[in-house]
Amino acid sequence: MSGQSALLKGFEEYQRAENTSIAIEAIDRKVQELKSRSERYLLTGAASQYRAALSLQSQLTNEIENVNADDLGVQDTLDQMKGHLEVLNEQLKLAAEERELRSRLVQVELPEVAETTRQAFNRLRAYFMEDPVEYEQQIVVHGGARGAYVSAHRALLEYFNNPKTPSFDIAAANLDKSRKLCRTLQEMESNQQDDVQEIIGDVLASLQAFQRVGTRAFQATRGYMVYSNVVMAGEIAEFSYQSTKLKDYVSQQKVLNQRNREASFQRSRIIAVIAAFGAVLLAILLATSLSMAVIGPIGRLTDMFRRLAAGETMSIATDGERTDEIAQMISAARVFSDKNQETKQLLERSESLSEELAKKADALVESNRELDNFAYIASHDLKSPLRGIQHLASWVQEDCEDILPEASQSHLTHMQSRVRSMECLLDDLLNYSRVGRVDAQPETVDCEELVSSIVEMADTSDGCQVNWEELPTFDTVRTPLKQVLLNLITNAVKYNDKGQNGRIDVSCEKQGDWYKWEVADNGIGIDPRFHEKVFQMYQRVAPDVSEGSGMGLAIAKKHVEHYGGNIQLRSSVGKGTTFSFTWPIEIELKNQSTSEGSTDESPINVAT
């Protein structure tokens, strides 16, 4: 009895140590997760990471308070961790406030005052341009002031992207330069009129406001960096160190309790061996009587179930003399064997169906390849006889112009027009079939120059304005990207119904590993029920516009999806259309075999 009491006491102590260890390990896991969440928030500013960090802090506080530690050293460390946790919570909230202030200043207030400054400079330039000869000197000074402001704006944005650079000092110097030049304009004798003085005053006021907001954003950025890089980093490191130290200490105590428990168990073991020896003698007598009635049949059943588990099927006879549990196990074995037979038949059927499905999948891939090749060959080879028909009709018209009646000449002209339309349809089909057949090599593409060249190609004779700002320069495949932008821009130009008030805005922003492009216009718009239809081949939803084959958007969609992106549109009738698509920042070329004659560079299609 004394050995059992010592064993039970040792077990209780071990159980308490084990419970404490489990609680400490759970706390340590949450500490490491809190460390990771806090560092991710400081690095990315993601709101989800901030909320997760606050939630973990609350959970840790509750778990630390619920730990019942008998060891004073453990309890003291837990109290210190609780204090550090409160400091970490306060510092994390301060860092979040600084980051939120910086985000509001950089993303809302700074763009607003920048736009006000740009408009003020534009009004001043418009005033001077009313008489360029008289105000030649003012125009030069104005250009210098505006250029210095633009440089300051760019440098300030570079600082917010990389706060470790000296860009803020550059921005401040350029702002000072811009204000000095504006004061020079203000002091010129020929600029003393009230109206120009008022405009120059607006420019100076907007520059002052821009510097004030930029400086506040700079201070918020520096404050956030101090919290994240110094205060928060130290608190997180100290908190993590204490948790690791506490975990190691508890693990050592756990090992010590384990040794004590094993010693008590060893003492009790000797007593148990003596009692067990007597029990063994009794068990031998019982086992001998049971072996004949139970063990033999159970051994045979064990072998039977082992074979059934391996998937075998067998004929199982019923022992009619038994009605006990062994008889029930024999019945269960028979059911098991029947199920094995059914499973075997199902597997054979499944293998047959899998082979048939694989063959059909291969046939479908081959059919798609043949359809693709057919579209390419048909569109490519049909162009030669069409050109022959067009030339023959032209020759007949030229040679027989004086002898053919006017109706016949009209028929020839109509036939030539139809041949040209057919050739355009085949060109579009050829372009569509070529998408993805050969991957172009990436090259450095200046997107502002690319869009500028597209606008020069587009027919904007009705006065429609195409605008863009700060487009990126990166390594990509030039021709596919150009074809997508060209088709979208010319599509917007073609469906412009506002004349000189027509406006097309091209923009691009970085989103993770992608650039998101948008081409927005204020044209006739597209009914929502046609949004999916416009991306299909040879589909046109504006019957009043006769130009194009209806393939441009289908070609653009195929290019975008070939490089892993997606294309969408937002539009309603009379409210303009916005096409958006994603394009990878880094192109991953796909090794694709080319069909005969598909190595030539496909012409850029502008018909939509």
Side-chain angles (χ1 to χ4, degrees), residues 347-357:
L347 287 174
E348 292 175 353
R349 177 59 178 165
S350 176
E351 291 176 358
S352 175
L353 291 175
S354 297
E355 292 177 359
E356 183 179 352
L357 183 60

Side-chain angles (χ1 to χ4, degrees), residues 84-102:
H84 281 287
L85 191 61
E86 294 175 354
V87 175
L88 180 61
N89 187 21
E90 295 175 359
Q91 298 301 329
L92 185 61
K93 290 181 179 179
L94 290 175
E97 292 174 0
E98 290 294 323
R99 189 179 188 98
E100 182 179 358
L101 174 61
R102 175 189 180 277

